[in-house]
């Protein structure tokens, strides 16, 4: 059974830092791209960042570029999100999500097939 | 960035009735469109990918259609467990954008 368990959320002051972790089990972690998606209280879903299976390709939403860093440790089956210079608008539940790769018309595309339960990050003074 | 819109924002349906949810992309995403269901306090769950392929374990009452810029999620006969928020997401381009969601509630 695929399991994704996030941790590391909490209350942090504006300008502060936090590191989120996602522990994966039930699948070959090193074979999958992984993602962070967030959801502000009462709002919709916002993709934050993606990392390929070998960390060769990394993408960020413009809203977090230069402040957040995604990484992974395939030996530990873990995904991370280092969040610096946090702002009130970063307050959200942060989900890690596995990316399922399929070939479409000669290119590979990725959708999110499994999600963790999320960890809440609150940025407030 | 591709902007996703969904309509209606809220859909009130009686159990056993049919629900039709719409999703529109600001430019073509081919068939690279997914639908997710989210219940209060829970993570999103994948329902449909490739615009029309049901994910593992998803009941046949859920169906998806469309391509290009116009997509539809149909729930043929609403069950009590289907009352939730539904999001569409395009994964054709970066960034992978979500629609604002359609809340399906009990009429």
């Amino acid at each position: 059974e695929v399991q994704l368990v996030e941790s590391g959320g909490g209350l942090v002051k504006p300008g502060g830092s936090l590191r989120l972790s996602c522990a994966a089990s039930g699948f070959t972690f090193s074979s999958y791209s992984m993602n962070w998606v967030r959801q502000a209280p009462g709002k919709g879903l916002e993709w934050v960042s993606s990392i390929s299976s070998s960390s060769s390709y990394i993408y960020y939403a413009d809203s977090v570029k230069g402040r957040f860093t995604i990484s992974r440790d395939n030996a530990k089956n873990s995904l991370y999100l280092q969040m610096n210079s946090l702002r009130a608008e970063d307050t959200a539940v942060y989900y890690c999500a596995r990316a399922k790769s399929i070939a479409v018309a000669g290119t590979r595309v990725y959708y999110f097939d499994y999600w963790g339960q999320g960890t809440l990050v609150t940025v407030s003074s | 960035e591709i902007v996703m819109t969904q309509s209606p924002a809220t859909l009130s349906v009686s159990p056993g009735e049919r629900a039709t949810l719409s999703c529109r992309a600001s430019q073509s995403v081919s068939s690279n469109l997914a639908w997710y269901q989210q219940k209060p306090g829970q993570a999103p769950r994948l329902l449909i990918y490739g615009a029309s392929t049901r994910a593992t374990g998803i009941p046949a009452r859920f169906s998806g259609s469309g391509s290009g810029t116009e997509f539809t999620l149909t729930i043929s006969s609403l069950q009590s467990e289907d009352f939730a928020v539904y999001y569409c997401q395009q994964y054709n381009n970066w960034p992978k954008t979500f629609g604002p969601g359609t809340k399906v509630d009990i009429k």
Side-chain angles (χ1 to χ4, degrees), chain B residues 7-86:
Chain B
S7 61
T10 303
L11 186 61
S12 297
V13 186
S14 299
E17 286 188 342
R18 182 186 193 92
T20 302
L21 289 66
S22 296
C23 173
R24 176 176 290 179
S26 60
Q27 64 188 74
S28 178
V29 298
S30 186
S31 294
N32 296 318
L33 190 285
W35 289 94
Y36 302 89
Q37 176 194 66
Q38 188 179 35
K39 298 178 182 179
Q42 295 186 17
R45 177 176 72 143
L46 176 68
L47 296 176
I48 300 282
Y49 64 92
S52 61
T53 303
R54 278 189 303 277
T56 303
I58 301 304
R61 64 181 181 272
F62 291 92
S63 63
S65 64
S67 66
T69 61
E70 302 280 344
F71 301 89
T72 300
L73 175 70
T74 301
I75 311 171
S76 59
S77 176
L78 269 153
Q79 306 298 301
S80 57
E81 61 266 31
D82 300 336
F83 293 98
V85 179
Y86 293 83

Side-chain angles (χ1 to χ4, degrees), chain A residues 102-108, chain B residues 30:
Chain A
I102 56 174
V104 176
T107 63
R108 300 209 72 83
Chain B
S30 186

Side-chain angles (χ1 to χ4, degrees), chain A residues 39 43-45 47 50 59 95 109-113 115-117, chain B residues 32 36 38 41-44 46 49 87 89 91 94-96 98:
Chain A
Q39 186 171 36
K43 303 297 184 183
L45 300 167
W47 167 79
S50 295
Y59 303 90
Y95 297 100
V109 292
Y110 303 85
Y111 57 90
F112 304 157
D113 63 345
W115 300 59
Q117 284 303 303
Chain B
N32 296 318
Y36 302 89
Q38 188 179 35
Q42 295 186 17
L46 176 68
Y49 64 92
Y87 295 95
Q89 181 214 17
Y91 51 91
W94 296 97
K96 299 183 188 303
F98 292 87

Side-chain angles (χ1 to χ4, degrees), chain A residues 20-21 36 76 96 117:
Chain A
L20 305 183
S21 300
W36 290 99
K76 294 183 178 179
C96 68
Q117 284 303 303

Side-chain angles (χ1 to χ4, degrees), chain A:
Chain A
E1 179 194 4
V2 172
Q3 283 202 318
L4 299 168
V5 180
E6 302 91 339
S7 61
L11 176 63
V12 61
K13 289 181 168 54
S17 297
L18 212 53
R19 189 195 196 207
L20 305 183
S21 300
C22 172
S25 60
F27 65 102
T28 305
F29 180 74
S30 59
S31 296
Y32 289 84
S33 294
M34 296 295 296
N35 305 269
W36 290 99
V37 178
R38 68 184 180 182
Q39 186 171 36
K43 303 297 184 183
L45 300 167
E46 180 189 15
W47 167 79
V48 172
S49 183
S50 295
I51 186 169
S52 63
S53 57
S54 61
S55 304
S56 298
Y57 300 97
I58 287 176
Y59 303 90
Y60 297 101
D62 285 346
S63 57
V64 306
K65 201 173 293 183
R67 300 188 298 121
F68 289 12
T69 302
I70 191 171
S71 63
R72 64 191 295 162
D73 185 335
N74 287 342
K76 294 183 178 179
N77 291 339
S78 292
L79 174 72
Y80 306 102
L81 186 68
Q82 177 67 43
M83 303 186 296
N84 298 331
S85 303
L86 282 161
R87 306 166 179 166
E89 54 265 34
D90 296 318
T91 294
V93 174
Y94 284 74
Y95 297 100
C96 68
R98 190 179 82 167
K100 175 70 173 177
S101 167
I102 56 174
V104 176
T107 63
R108 300 209 72 83
V109 292
Y110 303 85
Y111 57 90
F112 304 157
D113 63 345
Y114 287 96
W115 300 59
Q117 284 303 303
T119 187
L120 176 63
V121 173
T122 303
V123 184
S124 175
S125 54

